């Protein structure tokens, strides 16, 4: 609920900026956006995800952490690349999103190897 | 008995709890990050294959190993058994032990090892593929393999019954009156292979009741237990898969419940296949026991 109020305040500030200094608006928008976004990450998203990982403690170890971590990583990257695309740099947005996707896949490599091993024991022998 | 059930089902049960919890987790993540939904499904597949399908794969390799060792054992001892059968002369004919029957019983195990179990593995892989990539669906193929296997196994069991009953010396000792309701219960309630189970149980029972005159009831029942433990374990695991699928159906992806259901079906067929091995084991064991008994008493 507090986050909603904060968002409204940020929105109002942005409107004010676009009214008073329209030339600086893209720069200030990005700065305020990133600031607000990291503030939200620190106060809301990270504590929540830690709580969430603890909730799914009984699952075998890397899975809950990996799944929630990669979902949040994907979400962050999605938002940032959308922001970049909004500013008009679409290809840069694609590159950043692609890089994060590769990072997520790298996180899962060990599990993928296990999966392939299990399936291949079925076939061989 | 309870310790046995705990030991066999503990690992299986925990992996089903894992499926249920991870389906919940995937549900919540889908709600929070809808753009990640496609990947959540993929990753849920990962969890299910690496953690939850482990029991099924273990059973498959277990039955495969048992089939392999029994067929090896048979290849080793068959010449000796045949030779001693010749040496003992007419003593065996009164017990309706045909050498052809022994050959047939163990031939079925070799068939299982070389042909049926690889086919079942193929069925599991087809199921996984068709759930994992819905556009590349092999469901009909997997179903075809399963029904073919079930048909083959039933045919082999029918051949057994013919072998045993044409001899005429074996009589149906587990009296029909007492066991009919139990048979009815099993054949109604075990999906896919229920009637097959009662039939094959009847065949083994008919067979071993003749032998129990010579070998003694307790020995027969212990051989039965040893031979049927893997089959019963497989059956229980198959039930667990289907129960879990039924439990998580309201809130999990359709693919996930479908894959559990398919694996359950395949395990039922595996259970039917393992009956063939149990047959061969019971037959060989009784054969050896009676042979030794004859040799020792004839002296």
């Amino acid at each position: 609920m507090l986050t909603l109020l904060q968002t409204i305040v940020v929105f109002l500030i942005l409107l004010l900026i676009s009214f008073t200094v329209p030339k600086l608006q893209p720069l200030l928008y990005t700065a305020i956006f990133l600031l607000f976004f990291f503030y939200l990450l620190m106060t809301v998203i990270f504590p929540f995800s830690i709580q969430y990982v603890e909730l799914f403690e009984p699952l075998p170890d890397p899975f809950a952490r990996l799944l929630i971590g990669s979902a949040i990583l994907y979400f962050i990257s999605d938002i940032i690349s959308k922001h970049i695309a909004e500013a008009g740099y679409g290809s840069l947005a694609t590159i950043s999103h692609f890089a994060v996707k590769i990072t997520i896949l790298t996180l899962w490599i060990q599990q993928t190897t296990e999966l392939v091993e299990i399936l291949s024991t079925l076939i061989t022998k | 008995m309870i310790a046995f059930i705990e030991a066999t089902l503990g690992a299986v049960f925990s992996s089903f709890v894992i499926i249920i919890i991870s389906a919940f987790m995937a549900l919540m993540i889908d709600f929070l990050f809808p753009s990640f939904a496609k990947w959540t499904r993929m990753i849920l597949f990962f969890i299910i294959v690496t953690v939850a399908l482990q029991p099924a794969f273990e059973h498959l390799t277990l039955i495969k190993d048992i089939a392999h060792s029994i067929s090896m054992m048979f290849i080793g001892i068959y010449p000796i058994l045949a030779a001693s059968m010749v040496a003992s002369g007419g003593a065996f004919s009164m017990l309706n032990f045909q050498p052809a029957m022994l050959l047939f019983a163990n031939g079925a195990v070799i068939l299982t090892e070389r042909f049926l179990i690889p086919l079942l593995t193929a069925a599991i892989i087809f199921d996984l593929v068709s759930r994992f990539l819905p556009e590349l669906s092999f469901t009909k193929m997997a179903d075809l393999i399963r029904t073919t296997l079930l048909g083959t196994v039933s045919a082999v069991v029918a051949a057994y019954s013919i072998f045993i009953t044409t001899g005429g010396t074996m009589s149906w000792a587990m009296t029909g009156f007492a066991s009919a309701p139990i048979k009815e219960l099993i054949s109604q309630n075990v999906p896919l292979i229920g009637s097959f189970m009662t039939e094959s149980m009847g065949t083994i029972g008919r067979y071993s009741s003749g032998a129990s005159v010579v070998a003694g009831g307790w020995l027969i029942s212990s051989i039965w237990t040893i031979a049927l433990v893997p089959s019963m374990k497989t059956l229980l695991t198959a039930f667990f898969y289907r129960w879990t699928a039924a439990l998580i159906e309201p809130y999990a992806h359709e693919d996930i419940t479908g894959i559990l259901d398919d694996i359950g079906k395949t395990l039922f067929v595996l259970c039917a296949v393992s009956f063939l091995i149990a047959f061969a084991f019971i037959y060989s064991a009784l054969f050896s026991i009676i042979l030794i008994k004859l040799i020792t008493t004839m002296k």
Side-chain angles (χ1 to χ4, degrees):
Chain A
M1 209 54 217
L2 187 68
T3 318
L4 193 64
L5 278 178
Q6 286 166 339
T7 322
I8 290 171
V9 172
V10 168
F11 179 57
L12 284 178
I13 291 173
L14 283 175
L15 281 185
L16 209 65
I17 285 170
S18 71
F19 185 66
T20 49
V21 269
K23 274 205 166 159
L24 273 182
Q25 199 255 349
L27 184 67
L28 283 176
Y29 170 42
T30 311
I32 287 177
F33 167 77
L34 286 180
L35 214 69
F36 185 58
F37 183 54
F38 283 113
Y39 168 72
L40 272 191
L41 274 186
M42 289 303 152
T43 53
V44 180
I45 299 176
F46 283 154
F48 170 73
S49 54
I50 288 169
Q51 217 176 7
Y52 199 64
V53 168
E54 275 167 9
L55 180 64
F56 289 106
E57 201 102 73
L59 284 185
D61 186 38
F63 285 115
R65 264 187 302 141
L66 267 184
L67 181 52
I68 292 161
S70 43
I72 285 174
L73 212 62
Y74 187 86
F75 172 70
I76 292 171
S77 145
D78 199 34
I79 281 185
I80 287 180
S81 65
K82 250 185 204 159
H83 186 77
I84 296 174
E86 260 174 32
Y89 305 104
S91 46
L92 188 66
T94 321
I95 290 175
S96 85
H97 202 44
F98 180 67
V100 173
K101 272 183 190 165
I102 285 184
T103 316
I104 292 175
L105 282 188
T106 326
L107 290 179
W108 281 92
I109 267 190
Q110 210 189 334
Q111 269 60 44
T112 321
T113 337
E114 256 173 49
L115 181 82
V116 171
E117 265 169 23
I118 287 174
L119 289 181
S120 58
T121 48
L122 265 189
I123 301 166
T124 53
K125 199 172 121 185
Chain B
M1 190 66 191
I2 289 169
F4 162 75
I5 289 175
E6 262 181 20
T8 49
L9 296 184
V12 177
F13 198 72
S14 71
S15 60
F16 289 111
V17 172
I18 285 168
I19 299 180
I20 294 173
I21 296 174
S22 53
F24 259 124
M25 183 174 71
L27 191 74
M28 289 186 184
I29 285 181
D30 270 3
F31 169 66
L32 279 179
F33 311 105
S35 60
F36 200 64
K38 218 164 89 185
W39 287 95
T40 318
R41 176 179 160 267
M42 277 296 181
I43 289 165
L44 199 58
F45 260 120
F46 267 62
I47 297 176
I48 284 187
V49 173
T50 43
V51 178
L53 295 190
Q54 200 73 29
F57 294 169
E58 265 168 23
H59 276 285
L60 208 64
T61 41
L62 174 81
I63 302 282
K64 201 155 66 174
D65 288 348
I66 291 175
H68 183 72
S69 53
I70 285 187
S71 67
M72 282 296 123
M73 182 185 87
F74 167 69
I75 290 170
I77 65 168
Y78 183 67
I80 303 168
L81 283 184
S84 48
M85 207 185 292
V86 172
S88 64
F92 268 108
S93 60
M94 67 166 198
L95 280 164
N96 191 29
F97 276 103
Q98 300 109 333
M101 171 87 182
L102 190 64
L103 192 65
F104 180 72
N106 289 282
V109 176
I110 292 172
L111 178 81
T112 308
E113 191 210 343
R114 296 280 146 79
F115 186 64
L116 302 185
I117 289 179
L119 266 182
L120 262 188
T121 317
I124 285 189
I125 288 168
F126 278 134
D127 279 333
L128 280 179
V129 167
S130 45
R131 297 289 172 179
F132 204 61
L133 307 165
E135 60 269 26
L136 197 70
S137 176
F138 283 112
T139 41
K140 287 206 172 59
M141 179 67 116
D143 264 343
L144 180 71
I145 291 177
R146 272 195 292 266
T147 42
T148 314
L149 283 185
L150 212 53
T152 317
V153 174
S154 325
V156 171
V157 172
Y160 268 115
S161 336
I162 292 167
F163 257 118
I164 289 167
T165 44
T166 46
T169 42
M170 303 299 159
S171 59
W172 174 230
M174 291 172 76
T175 49
F177 287 119
S179 61
I182 301 171
K183 277 171 75 176
E184 195 61 26
L185 198 69
I186 292 175
S187 68
Q188 295 291 327
N189 287 306
V190 179
L192 282 173
I193 58 163
S195 57
F196 164 75
M197 268 176 72
T198 52
E199 281 305 307
S200 50
M201 291 279 218
T203 312
I204 310 180
R206 220 171 306 163
Y207 171 70
S208 53
S209 64
S212 67
V213 178
V214 185
W218 279 110
L219 193 60
I220 300 287
S221 54
S222 68
I223 291 171
W224 264 65
T225 319
I226 292 168
L228 291 180
V229 159
S231 307
M232 289 302 132
K233 259 177 81 176
T234 313
L235 188 69
L236 273 177
T237 316
F239 264 123
F240 264 125
Y241 275 102
R242 300 207 87 175
W243 284 335
T244 317
L247 259 180
I248 64 172
E249 198 180 7
Y251 59 87
H253 288 275
E254 195 189 333
D255 307 331
I256 306 295
T257 56
I259 207 164
L260 292 177
D261 221 27
D262 285 344
I263 297 291
K265 263 189 237 164
T266 312
L267 280 187
F268 278 127
V269 179
L270 182 67
C271 176
V273 169
S274 70
F275 264 101
L276 280 187
I277 299 169
F279 264 131
F281 180 79
I282 289 173
Y283 197 91
S284 306
L286 287 183
F287 190 91
S288 314
I289 288 167
I290 289 170
L291 184 74
I292 290 165
K293 181 111 179 172
L294 276 180
I295 290 170
T296 46
T297 48
M298 275 194 313
K299 252 183 180 177

